[in-house]
Amino acid sequence: MIRVDRTDLDFQLFSMLPGAQLSGFPRFSDYDRTAIRAVLDTAERIAMEHFLPHAADVDRNEPVFADGEVEIDARVGDALAAYRDAGFFGAGFDEEWGGTQMPETVRSALSFIFSMANIGTAGYPFLTHGAANLIAAFGSDEQKQTYLTPMVEGRFFGTMCLSEPDAGSSLADITTRAELDDDGNYRITGRKMWISGGDQEISENIVHMVLAKIPGGPPGVKGISLFIVPKYLMIGDGLRGARNGVALAGLNHKMGYRGTTNAALNFGEDVPCVGYLVGEKHKGLSYMFRMMNEARIGVGLGATALAAAGYQVSLAYARERPQGRHPDGKDAKSSQVPIIEHADIRRLLLAQKAAVEGALSLLFFCASLVDTVRMESDPIKRRETETLLDLLTPIAKSWPSEFCLEANKHAIQVLGGYGYTQDYPVERLYRDNRLNPIHEGTHGIQGLDLLGRKVMQQGGAGLKALAGRIMADVQAANEIENLSGHASMLASHLGETIATTRKLITAAAVNPRAALANATTYLDMLGHVVIAWMWLKQATLAARALAGDADQHFMSGKIAACRYFFSHELPKARTQRALLDRLDDTTLGMKPEWF
Amino acid sequence: MIRVDRTDLDFQLFSMLPGAQLSGFPRFSDYDRTAIRAVLDTAERIAMEHFLPHAADVDRNEPVFADGEVEIDARVGDALAAYRDAGFFGAGFDEEWGGTQMPETVRSALSFIFSMANIGTAGYPFLTHGAANLIAAFGSDEQKQTYLTPMVEGRFFGTMCLSEPDAGSSLADITTRAELDDDGNYRITGRKMWISGGDQEISENIVHMVLAKIPGGPPGVKGISLFIVPKYLMIGDGLRGARNGVALAGLNHKMGYRGTTNAALNFGEDVPCVGYLVGEKHKGLSYMFRMMNEARIGVGLGATALAAAGYQVSLAYARERPQGRHPDGKDAKSSQVPIIEHADIRRLLLAQKAAVEGALSLLFFCASLVDTVRMESDPIKRRETETLLDLLTPIAKSWPSEFCLEANKHAIQVLGGYGYTQDYPVERLYRDNRLNPIHEGTHGIQGLDLLGRKVMQQGGAGLKALAGRIMADVQAANEIENLSGHASMLASHLGETIATTRKLITAAAVNPRAALANATTYLDMLGHVVIAWMWLKQATLAARALAGDADQHFMSGKIAACRYFFSHELPKARTQRALLDRLDDTTLGMKPEWF
């Protein structure tokens, strides 16, 4: 019953993103609509045939650590082989290194489809993509030859090794060391934690991208360097040599995402561990941050895909399950109605639709900004795009993580008791999605990133860029009779948001602790404004399409979901701004000993 | 790290409930403060020694159905033996039938402690209590002799058999039949679903309380009768005879509450199944409803206990885990602070504290109303109390189910990645709590019960009674300087709520479907007003106690949590009323084919 809504994907990619945004750069000239649809056809087929069928099983029988190795359901490897054979590991990378130069927008749609089907198995290529991205951007040609090429081919997988048992949110405090050896390479010692895909026997090799400190460097985040640490040393000509000194210390047993191994790794404990410096010394964290936007958008996409899967399952169930009668038709002899007839079930479905399709619009928009930042030759346009992307990234990561999790909660509720059992996938999707507010920067960290950094930088240029884009769409919506009310509502919210932000920026100069105390509330508030914008845009396009020969049901649904978001969700932002406006110090004022 | 906050239990029982409410009736004369504390000491000891240690294991290794029997971890039976030996199965029942006549308030505190420790194992006595309650209220003396006495002794367990595979929320549509046999008893045929404790080998017998229709009766809910269906037939003098024709069809595999078996049962499929009519024919559902208040308060208590457990775990973690620095002290050479220092972690902890202790106040208050309804001799006072209890019950069931689940989500967030693993109990508590918005009437059903029935009946007497109680506490709070702002805020919210309710009642007379379309929003809104009331009351008592020699930290925490609820939570109710006031028809207007 997990179904990819291709009508909506078409709408999101081809109506919401003008051609120029989708594939307007020469690099992407192969990706016209026909080619994009063909890619997604292939993705959907592989996802449904190879990824979906074992999703429930790997959740129930998670990978185990036995005899120093990881045992995973063989179907995971089979699915990844099909993914590799389709050339999808090369999505986005340069042709020079074997890639297919797929636009980030299209790669996002591909990601979305595989995550819907089986987020656990999809984890391996996504991590590989992130690791390979770092090498593509900052590695030497030799490193690209040795590691990037086999990753693009899907023969080597990758991981990101940032966190440690005692340093998660605070990377400044990592203790993993990298000491220069006589051969010009480094010896890595330390422990890493929460490493997704940290070990497995599926790929020929694993390329760990490791953050470590070179002794004598600056303290804190400015003394962090980035290293390639392969599981097996490469001995030239693509030949695999001995095991490197990175060892699996144990697997974490999680409540979800159970198909993706998550490991504690020891570096250089029994066997010396060789690491190869990427780029320059002490620049590791800045490299990571330059790839962080994509990684964080990827988390938001995963969260959205999980909610999309739950939405489809609960929608199908609601159409078929008879139960109860309308409040004005209680005659017990009358037949029962399908539960989709009940207002509260429609609310639960509308909330899911609003979260899924609102988030998806934002994520594809952000992906199009990633493409523009990479390809745009005009430095002013590029800079403006980058500023906007920087601002939107914490929202693109967090809003879906919070509200698409809520959508998964609603999917269970639609199914009632059945939803609480393993007979349906909705409980698993809910467990999976609970990870997303935690990894790649917790919800709280995203709030601090947004309010304490992104909003403040360049004199508020990010918010200015956002406001410009929103107002252009407000004007367009204003011309449509049924949407002008929503348009002016969004304009008011935007104006108030800017005023609130100014207050916070002023306050931060004096008392950053007080100004940032409600940063998470700011994150959720601005997120709602941004998603409202995405819905207004969708409704505007739908209203225009309704006048033509478009799918009337589909377009009416878009307008109704927009209305839902504006009536049920957006007003919450005003309540949140009241709290922010008065620099509410309730949480700061609560003393630890009072708990 | 799961710890019972006995200081708060003392506050909730002895400060929040005046003596007259707690044990003011002659029936409860044995329960003075010393006796109540002794009961809770015993409960805490048994809960921590016998219930808590196997909680994680039964979650991981749920009961299995093998060779027609249910296999459960032996420690579940051991724990229940300790519970039985303490006499707790008899809590609340008449001494005549072997009970200890414990007030419902104290029994609720007992429940709360066991649910915190292990909600799965605690499920068996709680279900037994509910089933025994029905027999105590409506059974014949012979039925009491045969079934109630051994249940009160903890030798027989009980279940509630309402739902069927095709009838969950809509009990009018159950199809289980009861046909009169020559011996004057009934033969039951049909299938029941979601039967918690539906089968096990721990107790000597299982007493199923089964809803079924006697052919020829009125259609719908008015043709439902209640039957005792024992697993083993009783042949007189307390002797157990042959197996009755009730058979385990299968166990449901749930995402939580995994220690409590949940079964599909077949009645009279291969072997005839004997059922004994309880009370009169066709009155089964009204009997159920008269016991429903307690059952629903019990669900709220379970939800609150799960959140309390998560709160304690996350609080202990937050005090100990060093991570990061303050926004105004970023020097990487300075040492890290415990995460409880961060405003956002305090928010996550305050949100949990506000949910747990706010809900607990409401639940104990409702339990005191249950005691009053049973014991009060003045019919006018009794009627007023009953009306108030009827109104508050859907809130007491639903508010904790929704917001204490949210609290469990926050507990995971405080622990970050660790919270997502099985190394800590917070992920399990979150999975457990996801059940509570579903069973004993879903969240949506509670909304319809509240707005469509409880608010409407007796010309709005329930809301009037509630308003009277709230305003008395508002006046008391008004006399305390720091609380008068909160007091007038609550008074405004109450006034607006009454106005909104009047609009909805008027609208319902014309168009019930439109008036009830946002019943769930009404439920959440009124719930927030009621919990704000509970917090204002707690803060008032705490402010008074602060003037004396009370625990200054504890009392300051109460006032801070009240402030949190009024600043971060209560304002949401106004946004919800705006939706209700305009009879928002967004959900009703969404056509099924538009999804």
Side-chain angles (χ1 to χ4, degrees):
Chain A
M1 274 183 317
I2 290 178
R3 186 185 79 87
V4 180
D5 184 349
R6 289 294 298 276
T7 310
D8 190 51
L9 274 185
D10 258 29
F11 180 83
Q12 300 282 2
L13 291 173
F14 305 131
S15 300
M16 285 290 282
L17 296 176
Q21 273 180 295
L22 187 58
S23 54
F25 299 99
R27 176 186 173 90
F28 306 137
S29 57
D30 289 348
Y31 291 89
D32 61 11
R33 287 194 184 197
T34 309
I36 292 171
R37 287 200 181 107
V39 165
L40 300 186
D41 286 346
T42 306
E44 188 180 349
R45 184 181 53 75
I46 295 174
M48 294 297 136
E49 288 176 11
H50 299 279
F51 280 63
L52 182 61
H54 66 276
D57 289 344
V58 290
D59 174 69
R60 250 164 263 173
N61 306 300
E62 62 174 347
V64 291
F65 181 21
D67 301 327
E69 290 197 353
V70 177
E71 286 173 13
I72 307 181
D73 189 318
R75 288 171 294 175
V76 175
D78 296 345
L80 295 173
Y83 187 94
R84 186 187 63 221
D85 294 345
F88 290 152
F89 277 95
F93 294 104
D94 292 355
E95 282 175 4
E96 185 187 354
W97 301 107
T100 58
Q101 304 195 163
M102 189 183 285
E104 188 64 11
T105 42
V106 182
R107 203 188 67 81
S108 296
L110 186 94
S111 256
F112 176 75
I113 291 173
F114 283 102
S115 298
M116 270 189 86
N118 186 336
I119 198 131
T121 298
Y124 300 97
F126 299 160
L127 288 157
T128 302
H129 179 85
N133 242 345
L134 277 170
I135 301 175
F138 307 109
S140 67
D141 274 1
E142 194 196 330
Q143 287 170 342
K144 289 182 189 172
Q145 202 79 55
T146 313
Y147 303 104
L148 178 59
T149 301
M151 289 167 92
V152 164
E153 290 168 359
R155 294 190 294 110
F156 292 6
F157 291 175
T159 80
M160 308 292 261
C161 298
L162 287 73
S163 295
E164 298 181 0
D166 294 316
S169 292
S170 178
L171 287 173
D173 298 284
I174 62 166
T175 59
T176 297
R177 290 162 64 94
E179 290 178 88
L180 191 62
D181 207 352
D182 300 339
D183 61 3
N185 293 320
Y186 289 78
R187 295 292 170 273
I188 312 286
T189 48
R191 295 187 302 150
K192 290 288 177 183
M193 186 62 168
W194 312 121
I195 310 309
S196 288
D199 205 2
Q200 38 76 17
E201 305 294 320
I202 299 168
S203 62
E204 292 173 32
N205 203 349
I206 304 178
V207 182
H208 302 289
M209 305 305 294
V210 179
L211 292 184
K213 288 181 174 175
I214 299 171
V221 294
K222 288 177 184 157
I224 296 176
S225 303
L226 176 64
F227 299 87
I228 289 174
V229 177
K231 177 177 175 180
Y232 293 96
L233 296 167
M234 300 302 294
I235 53 176
D237 288 336
L239 291 178
R240 202 175 85 165
R243 275 292 292 261
N244 195 6
V246 47
L248 180 63
L251 291 177
N252 294 309
H253 303 287
K254 297 164 292 172
M255 78 181 291
Y257 268 82
R258 287 160 60 91
T260 308
T261 55
N262 186 277
L265 297 178
N266 288 340
F267 294 80
E269 202 176 46
D270 301 318
V271 178
C273 179
V274 181
Y276 307 101
L277 182 68
V278 177
E280 294 175 41
K281 285 200 285 188
H282 310 321
K283 294 208 169 164
L285 204 64
S286 73
Y287 295 156
M288 276 288 175
F289 270 110
R290 279 164 66 185
M291 290 295 130
M292 201 69 99
N293 285 341
E294 284 165 67
R296 290 183 168 173
I297 294 167
V299 171
L301 258 180
T304 308
L306 290 166
Y311 170 50
Q312 291 298 335
V313 172
S314 64
L315 177 58
Y317 185 88
R319 290 192 199 283
E320 283 165 20
R321 170 79 172 174
Q323 190 86 176
R325 292 162 189 84
H326 287 294
D328 49 7
K330 284 284 189 196
D331 179 1
K333 280 176 285 188
S334 66
S335 55
Q336 300 191 71
V337 298
I339 60 172
I340 200 170
E341 290 290 331
H342 300 305
D344 195 54
I345 297 293
R346 288 191 196 168
R347 177 183 68 86
L348 295 168
L349 294 170
L350 265 172
Q352 292 179 70
K353 180 180 171 74
V356 169
E357 298 174 11
L360 201 55
S361 289
L362 173 62
L363 291 158
F364 286 165
F365 177 65
C366 287
S368 79
L369 299 181
V370 169
D371 283 331
T372 305
V373 169
R374 270 209 212 134
M375 295 300 134
E376 179 59 58
S377 52
D378 179 342
I380 295 174
K381 279 192 196 164
R382 192 173 61 233
R383 191 75 206 109
E384 192 257 357
T385 307
E386 196 165 28
T387 306
L388 181 60
L389 176 62
D390 283 349
L391 182 84
L392 287 176
T393 294
I395 296 169
K397 190 270 175 184
S398 298
W399 197 92
S401 296
E402 191 70 17
F403 296 97
C404 288
L405 172 62
E406 192 73 5
N408 282 122
K409 190 179 87 176
H410 296 328
I412 294 177
Q413 196 68 15
V414 171
L415 274 74
Y418 292 99
Y420 196 66
T421 70
Q422 294 172 1
D423 298 346
Y424 288 84
V426 288
E427 66 88 23
R428 168 167 52 84
L429 297 164
Y430 179 61
R431 286 187 287 108
D432 285 342
N433 222 349
R434 184 63 191 82
L435 176 62
N436 287 312
I438 299 172
H439 67 165
E440 282 290 341
T442 63
H443 203 65
I445 293 290
Q446 301 297 326
L448 291 171
D449 179 48
L450 178 65
L451 183 58
R453 193 179 297 138
K454 302 300 176 57
V455 158
M456 307 280 183
Q457 68 199 10
Q458 299 174 62
L463 198 56
K464 250 176 247 167
L466 176 66
R469 305 271 186 142
I470 291 180
M471 287 312 294
D473 289 317
V474 161
Q475 276 182 344
N478 243 330
E479 286 163 25
I480 292 164
E481 204 189 324
N482 291 332
L483 295 178
S484 60
H486 293 341
S488 58
M489 185 172 166
L490 179 59
S492 312
H493 273 268
L494 178 62
E496 292 168 23
T497 298
I498 291 169
T500 298
T501 307
R502 282 207 189 106
K503 272 184 210 163
L504 291 169
I505 293 176
T506 309
V510 186
N511 186 348
R513 210 184 282 198
L516 293 175
N518 299 301
T520 311
T521 301
Y522 185 88
L523 173 72
D524 291 343
M525 182 278 293
L526 188 54
H528 261 48
V529 173
V530 167
I531 298 295
W533 167 39
M534 287 294 140
W535 271 113
L536 188 65
K537 207 167 165 178
Q538 292 189 64
T540 304
L541 292 168
R544 282 187 201 142
L546 266 181
D549 61 352
D551 179 334
Q552 301 287 307
H553 290 331
F554 177 83
M555 297 302 169
S556 302
K558 285 288 182 194
I559 295 169
C562 173
R563 194 179 156 209
Y564 170 84
F565 199 84
F566 276 76
S567 59
H568 284 65
E569 290 296 330
L570 184 57
K572 295 175 185 171
R574 189 157 285 142
T575 309
Q576 294 172 316
R577 280 195 299 273
L579 196 79
L580 293 160
D581 280 343
R582 64 167 187 267
L583 289 174
D584 184 277
D585 64 351
T586 308
T587 56
L588 264 189
M590 176 73 183
K591 295 190 185 161
E593 61 271 25
W594 291 355
F595 279 104
Chain B
M1 274 184 318
I2 290 178
R3 186 185 79 86
V4 180
D5 185 348
R6 289 294 297 276
T7 311
D8 191 51
L9 275 186
D10 258 31
F11 180 83
Q12 299 283 0
L13 290 173
F14 305 132
S15 300
M16 285 290 281
L17 295 177
Q21 271 181 296
L22 187 58
S23 54
F25 298 100
R27 176 186 173 92
F28 305 137
S29 56
D30 289 348
Y31 290 89
D32 60 11
R33 286 194 184 196
T34 310
I36 293 170
R37 286 198 181 107
V39 164
L40 300 187
D41 286 346
T42 306
E44 187 179 350
R45 184 180 54 74
I46 295 175
M48 293 299 135
E49 289 177 11
H50 299 278
F51 279 64
L52 181 61
H54 66 276
D57 289 343
V58 290
D59 175 68
R60 251 164 261 173
N61 306 299
E62 63 173 347
V64 290
F65 182 21
D67 301 328
E69 289 196 354
V70 178
E71 284 174 13
I72 307 181
D73 190 317
R75 289 171 294 174
V76 175
D78 295 345
L80 295 173
Y83 187 94
R84 187 187 61 220
D85 294 345
F88 290 154
F89 276 96
F93 294 103
D94 293 355
E95 283 176 3
E96 184 187 353
W97 301 107
T100 58
Q101 303 197 164
M102 189 183 284
E104 187 65 11
T105 43
V106 183
R107 202 188 69 80
S108 296
L110 186 95
S111 259
F112 176 74
I113 291 174
F114 283 102
S115 298
M116 270 189 87
N118 186 335
I119 199 135
T121 298
Y124 299 97
F126 299 161
L127 288 157
T128 302
H129 179 84
N133 242 346
L134 277 172
I135 301 175
F138 308 109
S140 66
D141 274 2
E142 194 196 328
Q143 287 169 343
K144 290 181 189 173
Q145 201 81 53
T146 313
Y147 302 104
L148 178 59
T149 301
M151 290 167 93
V152 164
E153 290 168 0
R155 294 189 294 113
F156 292 6
F157 290 175
T159 81
M160 308 290 262
C161 299
L162 286 72
S163 294
E164 298 180 0
D166 294 318
S169 292
S170 178
L171 287 174
D173 298 284
I174 62 166
T175 59
T176 297
R177 291 161 64 94
E179 290 178 88
L180 190 62
D181 208 351
D182 300 338
D183 62 4
N185 294 318
Y186 288 80
R187 295 292 170 276
I188 312 287
T189 49
R191 295 188 302 150
K192 291 289 177 181
M193 186 63 167
W194 312 120
I195 310 309
S196 288
D199 205 2
Q200 38 75 17
E201 305 294 320
I202 299 168
S203 62
E204 292 173 32
N205 203 350
I206 303 177
V207 182
H208 301 290
M209 305 304 295
V210 179
L211 292 183
K213 288 182 175 174
I214 299 171
V221 293
K222 287 178 185 156
I224 295 176
S225 304
L226 176 64
F227 299 88
I228 289 173
V229 177
K231 177 176 174 181
Y232 292 95
L233 296 168
M234 299 303 292
I235 53 175
D237 288 334
L239 291 177
R240 204 175 85 166
R243 276 291 292 262
N244 195 6
V246 47
L248 180 63
L251 291 177
N252 295 309
H253 302 286
K254 298 163 294 173
M255 79 181 290
Y257 268 81
R258 287 160 59 91
T260 307
T261 55
N262 187 277
L265 297 178
N266 288 341
F267 294 81
E269 201 176 47
D270 299 318
V271 178
C273 179
V274 181
Y276 307 101
L277 181 67
V278 176
E280 293 175 42
K281 285 200 285 190
H282 310 322
K283 293 207 167 164
L285 204 65
S286 72
Y287 295 157
M288 277 288 176
F289 270 111
R290 279 163 67 184
M291 291 296 129
M292 201 70 102
N293 285 341
E294 284 164 67
R296 290 183 167 171
I297 293 167
V299 170
L301 258 179
T304 308
L306 291 165
Y311 170 51
Q312 291 298 332
V313 172
S314 63
L315 177 59
Y317 184 89
R319 289 193 200 284
E320 284 165 20
R321 170 80 172 172
Q323 192 85 177
R325 290 160 191 85
H326 286 294
D328 49 7
K330 284 284 190 197
D331 180 1
K333 281 177 285 189
S334 65
S335 55
Q336 300 191 70
V337 299
I339 60 172
I340 200 170
E341 290 291 329
H342 300 306
D344 195 54
I345 298 292
R346 289 192 195 168
R347 177 184 67 87
L348 295 169
L349 293 171
L350 265 172
Q352 291 180 71
K353 182 181 170 71
V356 169
E357 298 174 11
L360 200 55
S361 289
L362 173 62
L363 291 158
F364 286 166
F365 176 65
C366 286
S368 79
L369 298 182
V370 170
D371 283 330
T372 305
V373 169
R374 270 207 211 136
M375 294 300 133
E376 178 59 58
S377 51
D378 178 343
I380 295 173
K381 281 192 194 166
R382 193 173 61 232
R383 191 74 206 110
E384 192 257 357
T385 308
E386 197 165 27
T387 305
L388 181 60
L389 176 62
D390 283 349
L391 182 84
L392 287 176
T393 294
I395 296 169
K397 191 270 175 184
S398 298
W399 197 92
S401 297
E402 191 71 16
F403 296 96
C404 288
L405 171 63
E406 191 73 6
N408 282 121
K409 190 180 88 177
H410 296 328
I412 294 177
Q413 196 69 14
V414 170
L415 274 75
Y418 292 99
Y420 196 66
T421 69
Q422 293 171 3
D423 297 346
Y424 288 85
V426 289
E427 65 88 24
R428 168 168 51 84
L429 296 164
Y430 179 60
R431 287 188 284 109
D432 285 342
N433 223 349
R434 184 63 190 85
L435 176 62
N436 288 312
I438 299 172
H439 67 165
E440 283 289 342
T442 63
H443 203 65
I445 292 291
Q446 302 296 326
L448 291 172
D449 179 47
L450 178 64
L451 183 58
R453 194 179 298 138
K454 301 301 177 57
V455 158
M456 306 281 181
Q457 69 199 10
Q458 300 175 60
L463 198 57
K464 251 176 246 167
L466 176 66
R469 305 270 186 143
I470 293 180
M471 286 313 294
D473 289 317
V474 162
Q475 277 183 342
N478 244 330
E479 286 163 26
I480 293 165
E481 203 187 325
N482 291 332
L483 296 178
S484 59
H486 293 342
S488 58
M489 185 173 167
L490 180 58
S492 311
H493 273 268
L494 179 63
E496 291 168 24
T497 299
I498 290 169
T500 299
T501 307
R502 282 208 191 106
K503 271 185 212 162
L504 291 169
I505 292 178
T506 309
V510 186
N511 187 347
R513 211 184 281 200
L516 293 175
N518 299 301
T520 311
T521 300
Y522 185 88
L523 174 72
D524 291 343
M525 182 279 294
L526 187 54
H528 261 48
V529 172
V530 166
I531 298 295
W533 167 39
M534 288 293 141
W535 270 113
L536 188 66
K537 206 168 166 177
Q538 291 190 65
T540 304
L541 292 167
R544 282 187 202 146
L546 266 181
D549 61 352
D551 179 335
Q552 302 286 306
H553 290 332
F554 177 82
M555 296 303 168
S556 301
K558 285 290 182 191
I559 295 169
C562 172
R563 194 178 155 208
Y564 171 84
F565 199 83
F566 276 77
S567 59
H568 284 65
E569 290 296 330
L570 186 56
K572 296 175 186 172
R574 190 157 285 140
T575 309
Q576 293 172 316
R577 279 193 300 273
L579 196 80
L580 293 160
D581 280 344
R582 64 168 188 266
L583 289 174
D584 185 277
D585 64 350
T586 307
T587 56
L588 264 188
M590 177 74 184
K591 294 190 186 161
E593 60 271 26
W594 290 357
F595 279 106

